[in-house]
Structures are given as structure tokens and as C-alpha cells.
Amino acid sequence: MSTMTEVRPFSIDVPEAELVELRRRVSATRWPEKETVADQSQGVQLATTQELARYWATDYDLRRFETRLNAVPQFMTEIDGLDIHFIHIESPHENALPLIITHGWPGSVIEMLNVVRPLTDPTAHGGSAEDAFHLVIPSMPGYGFSAKPTGTGWDPVHIAQAWTVLMKRLGYTRFVAQGGDWGAQITDMMGAQAPPELLGIHSNMPGTVPPDVSKALASGGPAPAGLSAEESRAWEQLSFLYTKGIGYATEMALRPQTLYGLADSPVALAAWMLDHDARSYEDISNAFQGHPVGNLTRDEVLDNITLTWVTNTGVSSGRLYWENNLGFFDVKGVSVPAAVSVFPRELYQAPRSWAEQAYPNLIYFNEVDKGNHFAAWQEPELFTTEVRAAFRPLRTGNGGRQE
């Protein structure tokens, strides 16, 4: 007889009829006219979307995402009445450090697949055994193969608490946490909740914006006086984001249920997921023109979109924006040791001065020279190097296993 705390093996087997229907729907898309501008200012461009649809319907291996996920150990377990899907890979190295990594929107565990082996088996990927991790990568509620909440309350605070339950259930008495996008906010909340088992956190999209700056951004007022050059750069990036860059987030925060097209049309879902931020969209558009930037290839992008389509999680994933009551980039009150990596094409580049204020125990801060919002996905080698360096100061003894 199963129990609520049982950890169950999981694998994916999408019925062939669903994939045939997906291809039919993509091919039957009714297209609008071309945008009336020469840039992306009106949204995801027709040429990019039509090339995505052509490749998706004709050349892309619709089972690629399934094959890739089934190649790693996957599990299900029930937390607070909800089935949570997760990848769990134990390192072959003694004293590996347990690490939970959380994805964001419009991402999924797909984002992390190319960092799994380098993090768990570093000696096979240019590192040393001392940098090894036991790795846990959960799908957030309403995303991928995790269950969809049928009631309210699964906000970032609740998810952060659930991740601590998950790690303890797997037998880890000490662990670290990492995240970007929603994963960054959830990881920050874990750092604010500071369970005794959590040694520290790492973020590639940290919450560092001081209260006076956050208030000015929300009101549309001028920048506070006395900002340094780096802080002014961050102000300009955030000001652009809040005025021109988060239409998708506003709709999902206010009216997620209205987005029926995400459940009915694969191409509507794809375009919605591509329209996350201008820099990432630019890189993804390049990929569909045959010029990928880093690892963000058209197959990688379609792995993520196809996963979202077959699980029908376009709307359920968007409800996280409706549930959230926290300022995305605001300081969260993290008290545990914290590490920050700043990627140049992120939504904003966190200044060191803000990071030092936001994280009183800042143990690592580094600005890297390439990569966008999807850091692990686009630059897996660089991301791996950053995660190894970030957590090196926190390593001690027996790999976090309960004796």
C-alpha cells in the first residue's frame, strides 16, 4: 500500500495519437498577417514563428524530450496533497554535496539536462571529485509532469517549504539550493526561511533591488538620487522591463485563465513561451534562423515547448504569477550564505553593492561574459563552473546523507 511519503519511480510514455494530433494542429495553424514593423516591438515575429512551426511539424523528433528525460532517473512523491515530479541523480563521488535546482517560466527541467552530468560526475567533465553534487531537479506545481493544483496557495513561499520537505524525504540532512527566474525567487525564499538543513544558496537572477528603488520603479517615478554607474545601469534595465518587457507576466498575474489558446493551439503556446524577454527571444530567433547562441538550439527550445504541450500546462504554469505576492527582484531577507552569478543578458545585471546589501552573508559574486536569462540552458559549461565555485566554501564531510 502506498503512503503519502513514498518516492515512486517515474517514466514518460506519450501516446502516439497525441503526437500525431500535435503535428496536425501545428500544420493546420491559421496565421495572422505579418507585423507592421521591422523589429520585435510588436511581439514574436511571423517569420520566426512560421519557421518554428515548419521545423516542429516536419523535422523535429517529437519524442526527443521524452527520450532525454527517460535517460535520467525520475520520480514522483506527494507533498501537501500534490504529486511532485523530480529528477534525482546521485553522484558516484564520496562526499558529494546535495543540491536542489529550480527552473523558471517558461522553462522546465529541460533547462537543466545539460548540467546534470557535469555537476554529478565532475571528473568526467573537466572538474574534480571535490566539486561533485547529488542533484535534485523538481518540476514546480503546475509545470511539466508535476500535478496541477486544484486550489489556491501554491505560491513561491509554499514551494520553498515543499522543497525542504523533498530534500529531507530523500535523506539529506544538509543541502544547498540554486535557481533562476521563478527558481531564483523560490531559492531566495528558502534562504529567508533558513531551515537548519540549508547550508546556502546560489542565484543567477538574484533579488537585490533596494526598497527605495523598488518603490520608484513601481510608481514610475525618477530614479533615487546617488546611484552609482552600475546601479544606474540596473535601474535602466529594470525600468525598461517594467514598462515594455513584462506584458506576458501582467496577463498571467491578473487573468491566467483567459489564456485558452495555450491549451488549444501549439503555435499559440510556442509564441507565448518565446516572448519572455527581448534578449532571450533574439537568441531563440537566431536559433531558428540556423545561428544558435550557445546551447539554445531549436531542438532544445522545442523540447521545452513540446513538454509543455503534451502535459497541457500552458495555463496551469501561468497561475504561479497570479499566486505570487512578492516583488520579483526585491530583497527577500535571505540570512543563509548566498552566492550570485551575473550573466550579461539577464533581465537586469545586479550590482555588487545591491547584492552585498541583499545578502548579508555573500560568499561569492561574479560577473560572467556571456549568457542570457536561461543561463544553465544556454551556457551549461559556464553555469557548471559558476555553481561549483559558488558552493566550494560550504563543503564539509559526508555528502549530506542521514546516518
Side-chain angles (χ1 to χ4, degrees):
M1 181 177 295
S2 65
T3 65
M4 289 189 298
T5 60
E6 181 184 14
V7 174
R8 315 183 304 272
F10 178 81
S11 63
I12 303 163
D13 184 13
V14 179
E16 182 64 23
E18 288 192 26
L19 300 180
V20 171
E21 175 63 7
L22 166 57
R23 187 157 275 151
R24 185 197 70 78
R25 284 174 179 253
V26 173
S27 299
T29 299
R30 185 173 73 163
W31 296 100
E33 65 283 355
K34 184 179 184 293
E35 61 276 1
T36 58
V37 294
D39 57 26
Q40 61 163 289
S41 59
Q42 290 184 353
V44 177
Q45 293 144 301
L46 182 64
T48 295
T49 315
Q50 287 186 325
E51 175 55 23
L52 180 153
R54 183 206 65 77
Y55 185 73
W56 201 5
T58 59
D59 296 339
Y60 172 73
D61 176 5
L62 292 176
R63 291 200 181 273
R64 194 185 116 105
F65 88 94
E66 176 184 272
T67 301
R68 295 180 72 202
L69 282 172
N70 282 339
V72 295
Q74 301 173 86
F75 302 90
M76 287 279 192
T77 194
E78 184 180 322
I79 301 176
D80 295 345
L82 201 72
D83 263 350
I84 299 298
H85 165 262
F86 63 98
I87 295 167
H88 181 204
I89 300 183
E90 296 186 80
S91 173
H93 298 290
E94 189 177 2
N95 297 330
L97 180 62
L99 166 63
I100 183 167
I101 299 183
T102 310
H103 65 85
W105 185 94
S108 67
V109 295
I110 293 289
E111 293 180 61
M112 310 304 169
L113 288 181
N114 291 309
V115 303
V116 164
R117 298 304 176 189
L119 289 173
T120 56
D121 191 6
T123 58
H125 297 85
S128 64
E130 290 74 23
D131 287 327
F133 294 93
H134 299 307
L135 200 56
V136 178
I137 310 173
S139 297
M140 292 188 295
Y143 287 71
F145 290 97
S146 281
K148 303 169 186 177
T150 57
T152 61
W154 277 98
D155 62 1
V157 176
H158 190 173
I159 297 172
Q161 294 165 341
W163 283 185
T164 297
V165 171
L166 174 60
M167 294 300 280
K168 291 170 67 175
R169 185 171 296 176
L170 295 175
Y172 295 126
T173 57
R174 57 183 191 82
F175 58 87
V176 292
Q178 198 286 330
D181 194 84
W182 279 117
Q185 187 164 158
I186 290 163
T187 300
D188 267 2
M189 288 313 305
M190 293 177 73
Q193 293 164 2
E197 298 83 4
L198 182 64
L199 299 179
I201 66 169
H202 173 257
S203 177
N204 54 275
M205 198 193 77
T208 69
V209 179
D212 61 330
V213 176
S214 182
K215 183 177 179 180
L217 286 165
S219 68
L227 296 182
S228 69
E230 284 187 338
E231 292 166 351
S232 294
R233 176 191 65 188
W235 166 270
E236 293 298 331
Q237 291 168 335
L238 289 164
S239 182
F240 171 84
L241 181 68
Y242 283 128
T243 55
K244 297 183 182 298
I246 53 170
Y248 65 92
T250 301
E251 177 66 17
M252 290 189 287
L254 295 175
R255 311 283 287 180
Q257 191 64 29
T258 299
L259 297 168
Y260 292 96
L262 306 187
D264 185 62
S265 165
V267 168
L269 176 69
W272 186 255
M273 293 175 73
L274 259 58
D275 203 17
H276 178 273
D277 70 278
R279 291 173 175 142
S280 298
Y281 167 70
E282 181 181 326
D283 289 347
I284 292 170
S285 182
N286 284 334
F288 282 97
Q289 294 168 21
H291 308 290
V293 180
N295 189 61
L296 205 55
T297 66
R298 58 188 181 178
D299 281 342
E300 290 280 349
V301 172
L302 282 171
D303 285 348
N304 186 49
I305 297 170
T306 306
L307 167 64
T308 306
W309 174 261
V310 300
T311 54
N312 193 14
T313 47
V315 171
S316 61
S317 61
R319 290 197 191 103
L320 184 55
Y321 288 83
W322 186 91
E323 291 280 358
N324 180 52
N325 291 311
L326 302 170
F328 225 102
F329 308 103
D330 291 357
V331 176
K332 305 297 192 304
V334 172
S335 59
V336 302
V340 170
S341 296
V342 179
F343 286 76
R345 289 169 65 81
E346 182 54 90
L347 303 183
Y348 88 110
Q349 290 174 275
R352 179 186 286 270
S353 58
W354 289 1
E356 289 172 345
Q357 295 173 46
Y359 303 109
N361 193 356
L362 185 68
I363 59 171
Y364 180 83
F365 181 93
N366 190 37
E367 295 183 351
V368 298
D369 60 1
K370 58 184 177 180
N372 70 21
H373 179 73
F374 301 101
W377 204 8
Q378 186 181 52
E379 301 293 344
E381 291 184 10
L382 181 56
F383 178 86
T384 297
T385 298
E386 286 298 295
V387 171
R388 289 173 181 169
F391 290 123
R392 214 164 271 146
L394 300 180
R395 289 182 177 271
T396 59
N398 74 359
R401 276 298 192 189
Q402 192 167 10
E403 299 296 338

